[in-house]
Amino acid sequence: MYSHMMVGSNDIARSKKFYDATFTAIGGQPGIEDDKGRLIYMYNGGLFLVTKPIDGQPATPGNGMTIGIAMETEEQANAWHAAGVANGGKAIEDPPGVRDGGTMTLYLAYLRDPDGNKLCALKRM
């Protein structure tokens, strides 16, 4: 359904430190920076990009938005979460763990990136 996800950043170098750590913690590669200064992460068949807003205005997190990143194991979700916290992210919601969603059981770990974007590591149980 999706071709890519993109978030805004006010500090690309700070974002690169955070996202390089979280993607490499789950087996991905560090991001590459294109000629427009955008960071590009390729992982598990998807693209995740980080950019300064093209309208010149400050980047702000989307209200009500969460970007979910699929995990293969609970340990992978924990490594992603720990790498994010250690590299400028903020743990939010409940601590990483199992949640009963009524129709499915999930392992979830939530972070805000350094610009405030809400991210979730998700492992379907």
Side-chain angles (χ1 to χ4, degrees):
M1 178 185 297
Y2 299 102
S3 65
H4 66 282
M5 300 297 279
M6 184 179 289
V7 296
S9 174
N10 294 304
D11 185 333
I12 294 296
R14 180 184 67 189
S15 290
K16 184 162 180 20
K17 179 182 177 196
F18 174 84
Y19 283 108
D20 280 2
T22 58
F23 277 106
T24 59
I26 59 173
Q29 299 295 314
I32 57 173
E33 191 168 341
D34 72 6
D35 59 351
K36 295 182 180 178
R38 297 176 295 201
L39 299 176
I40 303 169
Y41 294 88
M42 295 171 268
Y43 180 72
N44 213 17
L47 290 175
F48 185 88
L49 296 95
V50 183
T51 188
K52 287 191 173 198
I54 61 172
D55 66 2
Q57 298 299 310
T60 59
N63 187 19
M65 180 191 83
T66 301
I67 297 173
I69 301 171
M71 300 288 149
E72 295 178 11
T73 65
E74 295 171 31
E75 293 78 18
Q76 192 179 44
N78 290 336
W80 173 89
H81 190 266
V85 170
N87 287 278
K90 181 179 178 187
I92 59 170
E93 309 283 333
D94 292 330
V98 176
R99 314 284 199 288
D100 182 10
T103 59
M104 67 179 73
T105 302
L106 306 168
Y107 190 91
L108 303 174
Y110 286 94
L111 287 173
R112 288 216 183 256
D113 77 2
D115 286 287
N117 296 296
K118 187 176 178 182
L119 310 169
C120 175
L122 181 147
K123 164 68 177 129
R124 288 181 175 83
M125 307 293 283

